[in-house]
Amino acid sequence: MLKKMKWLQLALLSVLAVILLAGCGGDNESDEGKNGGSKDNEKDMLTQIKENDKIVFGVKNDTRLFGLKNPNTKEVEGFDIDIAKALAGEILGDEEKVEFKEVTSKTRMPLLNNGDIDAIVATMTITEERKKEVDFTDVYFDAGQSLLVKKGSDIKGIDSLKGKKVLAVKGSTSAINIREKAPEAEVLEFENYSEAFAALKSGQGDTLTTDDSILYGMVDEDPNYELVGGTFTDEPYGIAVKKGNEKFVDELNKALKAIKDSGKYDEIHDKWIKKQ
Ligand code: GLU
């Protein structure tokens, strides 16, 4: 009887041991999978870029001074383009190791997050809201939101927008901020900046609002327009990268610092940024 009990106990214990071991084994495996996976992802992004031997940047194609496609050469030109090239020069040793894909304010984060582009350099403000979806580098340019009007307009600033039609671009901070700052204005949103400026020129609205830096590009194109009222927000631009790629963000920050230290950044700034 006693012997039988011992055997039964032993059998039960071994079953328990097998279950426990199997459980532990399973956990270990999935933990390794998770950690290994995320580390690999991080390594992959930078390694991937080095393997591809190029960085795919999402840039604007319709924003004069920052990212504008030249119809003659079919090349994109501007401050963001030159910054992107300089960063590739630091990271891959050659400014030409870049590919540019067009983004708009609305499409840039989805295109980044589905892997179409490696980084966004496209007049993009660093905001707490956007930080939930993407990671940003250090600030590489400081802008502020303003208003563009046809010369002679009765709009003098943010306080004269009651009952006025304000044009803005979808997916921009400008479209959100203006509703907060001028709740009595009517806001019309467009797909991109060339459409919004065309709408202003054809009289579909009374003013266009976005960063002063972008509006200066429009004045550069057509001096019948001017900025009014100064700036009413801070728009620090950052380069956005898909979340969880710290090493790539660090590499971009190092590259940004290097081009600032070498004088390259100032050279690019002086070439494109209008001092008004
Ligand atoms: N900097 C602002 C933003 O990130 C306006 C410019 C833009 O639409 O890209 O939304």
Side-chain angles (χ1 to χ4, degrees), residues 67-235:
L68 182 71
K69 192 167 213 159
N70 180 325
N72 302 322
T73 61
K74 306 268 181 277
E75 300 277 324
V76 270
E77 297 166 352
F79 178 78
D80 281 341
I81 307 305
D82 284 354
I83 292 289
K85 284 182 183 166
L87 296 177
E90 291 296 328
I91 296 171
L92 298 175
D94 184 346
E95 299 217 337
E96 296 307 313
K97 290 185 173 173
V98 287
E99 185 185 330
F100 293 120
K101 285 196 182 168
E102 180 177 8
V103 298
T104 65
S105 305
K106 191 177 85 177
T107 65
R108 60 193 162 193
M109 286 203 287
L111 286 174
L112 181 71
N113 285 331
N114 69 25
D116 280 6
I117 51 178
D118 300 324
I120 301 169
V121 190
T123 66
M124 187 170 184
T125 302
I126 303 168
T127 69
E128 289 309 313
E129 204 52 34
R130 287 173 178 168
K131 275 192 201 166
K132 292 178 194 159
E133 279 186 66
V134 298
D135 287 337
F136 284 101
T137 61
D138 298 335
V139 176
Y140 73 95
F141 184 77
D142 278 303
Q145 188 171 346
S146 190
L147 298 168
L148 184 77
V149 294
K150 187 152 194 189
K151 280 181 179 164
S153 160
D154 59 351
I155 296 174
K156 301 291 173 229
I158 195 81
D159 296 328
S160 41
L161 293 182
K162 192 175 174 182
K164 300 286 188 191
K165 280 188 181 147
V166 183
L167 311 178
V169 164
K170 289 178 189 169
S172 66
T173 51
S174 337
I176 299 168
N177 296 336
I178 196 67
R179 289 192 167 89
E180 205 181 286
K181 306 268 176 185
E184 290 174 302
E186 183 187 343
V187 181
L188 303 178
E189 292 187 26
F190 294 82
E191 293 301 321
N192 58 48
Y193 286 102
S194 61
E195 276 184 28
F197 192 30
L200 181 69
K201 286 181 185 167
S202 67
Q204 289 179 59
D206 305 296
T207 176
L208 193 164
T209 189
T210 186
D211 301 337
D212 53 352
S213 46
I214 297 175
L215 298 177
Y216 287 134
M218 295 175 183
V219 173
D220 200 42
E221 183 187 322
D222 188 339
N224 291 314
Y225 291 83
E226 64 180 354
L227 278 75
V228 289
T231 57
F232 50 89
T233 68
D234 289 326
E235 307 290 332

Side-chain angles (χ1 to χ4, degrees), residues 32-81:
E32 261 165 39
K34 269 180 224 156
N35 292 340
S38 72
K39 261 184 214 154
D40 276 357
N41 269 348
E42 220 178 83
K43 196 172 64 189
D44 270 354
M45 188 74 195
L46 200 61
T47 314
Q48 191 74 49
I49 281 163
K50 292 192 173 161
E51 268 171 26
N52 295 347
D53 209 20
K54 70 170 180 191
I55 307 175
V56 183
F57 286 106
V59 296
K60 295 284 180 77
N61 274 19
D62 69 326
T63 306
R64 185 178 290 269
L65 305 180
F66 281 83
L68 182 71
K69 192 167 213 159
N70 180 325
N72 302 322
T73 61
K74 306 268 181 277
E75 300 277 324
V76 270
E77 297 166 352
F79 178 78
D80 281 341
I81 307 305

